[in-house]
DNA sequence: AGAGATTATGTTGCATGCATCAGCTCGTCA
DNA sequence: TGACGAGCTGATGCATGCAACATAATCTCT
């Protein structure tokens, strides 16, 4: 198998061009480039002290990820998902995570169950301590554990791409640890875990889909989300 | 069957390099390159009378699609999915198409229903006439109509990538119009359509998933499918 | 003869230069 | 004044050259 490296979103990409790709991504997501802003190859090549060739390759990847739009013979521009795209992506996320939860439940895993149980304990602690950041990290870990535990590399791959696209929406990140969602979220996680422990793959899938749908509603009904 | 649907949709793949990308893909899939065979940039550049630069870009795309494997500083090699990957891809296919059928049922569309009804009529005709090729094309169209009718571009995008990867498995193509599946397949299609007409998105999703699963079993139990 | 070191080779990775093209500026003319 | 068009500018798209590296082949020494 090709040597891959899992980014924080779990996307498997070739290891050899990760540094530059990540740096370009980070630069664009850093906030200095508002949506629609041009991202010229020469600027990036000067910024990172490389030639245009590797920059071009990185931009093509980012285009594939949906972060930028390359208009031939014109230039590359930062692209932010519209609200409609966010809705579409969440529908996919619901489907992906539901599938993963179902597959995991069918496997009847031991290791993952222990990990998830420990995760819920720590989530309760973080919630009690009001540590929103740690809580968000644990939520992320919970979902990630289930995705990887589904034992389906292609699923993890597509899911990684999906999350990359979603991550570009800054508002999604901002509401990730929304206080109002914490109690419900942990409760839903617990339900999902119970279903997995019971090897009820049908119930696990349904529970996970409900959970993801509820989370997405939280983001999409947020007044700060633009309406385009 | 070419990936024309994705080009018409103007998806992630930029239009301007589709010709070269398609030609390279077609060349590799043509059969002259057995799995594991090296695909050097210079060879392709001479073959298509372009420089290595656009070839490199095309190969990167194909790597992303899973057709080739690029080993840094070594070379590019044809890559055929393993049986395990086929299983994984079919699990995803099931999930994608189920989601699409559900979304379409929820929309309660008029146009798609008419198209699908006509498709089933023609499928019956093709089956009666023993025209396996036409039947396979109609099956493809049936699924495609549902995917596009789901009105979710991101879904169509991911589905397109998925089908690209599946298409690389020559055996999948070979069993596409398997005679033993025809009657059952049409019957399952009809069930899916009925659910959509009833706006039963839950039932439509379940029916479609059952159908895709049954189709995948047909391929995966095929003795010709390698067991690696 | 065999094992390790060494050269040879073929490939990629990247830098650079030039042609091409989209979009804009500005001048011209009705 | 306003519209039209030729050039201008900046960017991409691609060709080419060179260096670096992985791998294979060869050589050397024991």
């Amino acid at each position: 198998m090709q040597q891959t490296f899992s980014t924080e979103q779990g996307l498997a990409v070739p290891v050899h061009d990760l540094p530059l790709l990540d740096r370009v991504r980070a630069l664009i997501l850093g906030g200095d480039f508002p949506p629609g802003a041009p991202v010229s190859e020469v600027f990036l090549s000067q910024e990172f002290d490389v030639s245009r060739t590797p920059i071009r390759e990185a931009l093509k990847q980012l285009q594939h990820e949906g972060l930028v739009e390359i208009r031939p013979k014109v230039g590359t521009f930062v692209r932010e998902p519209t609200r409609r795209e966010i809705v579409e992506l969440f529908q996919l996320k619901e489907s992906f995570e539901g599938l993963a939860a179902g597959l995991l439940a069918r496997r009847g895993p031991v290791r993952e169950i222990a990990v998830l149980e420990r995760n819920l304990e720590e989530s309760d602690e973080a919630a009690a301590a009001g540590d929103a950041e740690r809580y968000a990290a644990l939520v992320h870990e919970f979902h990630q554990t289930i995705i990887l535990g589904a034992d389906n590399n292609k699923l993890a791959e597509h899911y990684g791409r999906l999350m990359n696209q979603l991550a570009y929406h800054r508002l999604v990140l901002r509401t990730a640890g929304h206080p109002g969602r914490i109690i419900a979220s942990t409760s839903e996680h617990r339900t999902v875990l119970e279903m997995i422990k019971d090897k009820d793959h049908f119930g696990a899938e349904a529970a996970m889909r409900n959970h993801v749908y509820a989370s997405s509603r939280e983001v999409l009904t947020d007044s700060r989300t633009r309406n385009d």
Side-chain angles (χ1 to χ4, degrees), chain A:
Chain A
M1 174 128 184
Q2 161 88 19
Q3 285 201 352
T4 56
F5 179 82
S6 294
T7 66
E8 33 188 347
Q9 285 82 21
L11 173 59
V13 292
V15 73
H16 62 281
D17 61 358
L18 253 175
L20 182 61
L21 182 62
D22 275 351
R23 276 185 294 171
V24 173
R25 203 198 334 252
L27 180 69
I28 292 177
L29 289 180
D32 296 335
F33 291 81
V39 187
S40 87
E41 299 175 359
V42 287
F43 173 79
L44 291 179
S45 66
Q46 289 169 1
E47 187 76 11
F48 294 111
D49 198 48
V50 292
S51 100
R52 281 176 45 219
T53 308
I55 293 291
R56 278 179 66 79
E57 294 178 356
L59 286 179
K60 279 232 166 183
Q61 292 290 330
L62 293 179
Q63 177 196 29
H64 208 252
E65 291 179 14
L67 173 58
V68 301
E69 174 188 358
I70 299 179
R71 289 193 292 191
K73 287 288 186 181
V74 176
T76 304
F77 303 87
V78 177
R79 188 173 168 290
E80 189 171 39
T82 63
R83 181 186 169 87
R84 181 198 169 100
E85 286 178 296
I86 298 294
V87 172
E88 294 184 356
L89 288 169
F90 270 117
Q91 285 176 342
L92 274 180
K93 187 171 190 281
E94 184 183 323
S95 182
F96 279 137
E97 301 214 30
L99 175 63
L103 289 174
L104 183 60
R106 187 171 305 178
R107 275 187 50 213
V110 177
R111 195 184 66 81
E112 278 82 2
I113 287 177
V115 172
L116 293 174
E117 278 181 335
R118 169 132 192 82
N119 179 286
L120 287 185
E121 291 174 15
E122 294 188 32
S123 293
D124 284 336
E125 295 172 13
D131 189 342
E133 191 172 350
R134 181 160 170 243
Y135 184 83
L138 286 167
V139 166
H140 175 72
E141 182 194 302
F142 185 89
H143 287 252
Q144 206 61 30
T145 299
I146 289 178
I147 289 290
L148 296 180
D151 202 33
N152 182 317
N153 288 323
K154 293 297 173 186
L155 168 60
E157 206 175 293
H158 279 260
Y159 181 77
R161 260 195 283 274
L162 171 72
M163 291 306 284
N164 265 335
Q165 295 189 60
L166 264 182
Y168 293 154
H169 196 253
R170 297 173 182 83
L171 300 177
V172 172
L173 293 178
R174 233 198 288 171
T175 56
H178 197 291
R181 277 288 299 160
I182 288 190
I183 295 172
S185 175
T186 304
S187 167
E188 289 158 11
H189 279 192
R190 192 158 271 123
T191 302
V192 171
L193 178 54
E194 288 306 315
M195 296 291 185
I196 292 175
K197 285 165 75 174
D198 291 348
K199 297 191 182 181
D200 179 358
H201 69 267
F202 191 79
E205 171 163 1
M208 180 59 103
R209 285 173 73 158
N210 280 332
H211 166 56
V212 173
Y213 179 74
S215 298
S216 72
R217 291 294 300 171
E218 187 71 19
V219 174
L220 291 171
T221 58
D222 193 304
S223 62
R224 288 170 297 186
T225 304
R226 286 181 4 264
N227 222 355
D228 48 351

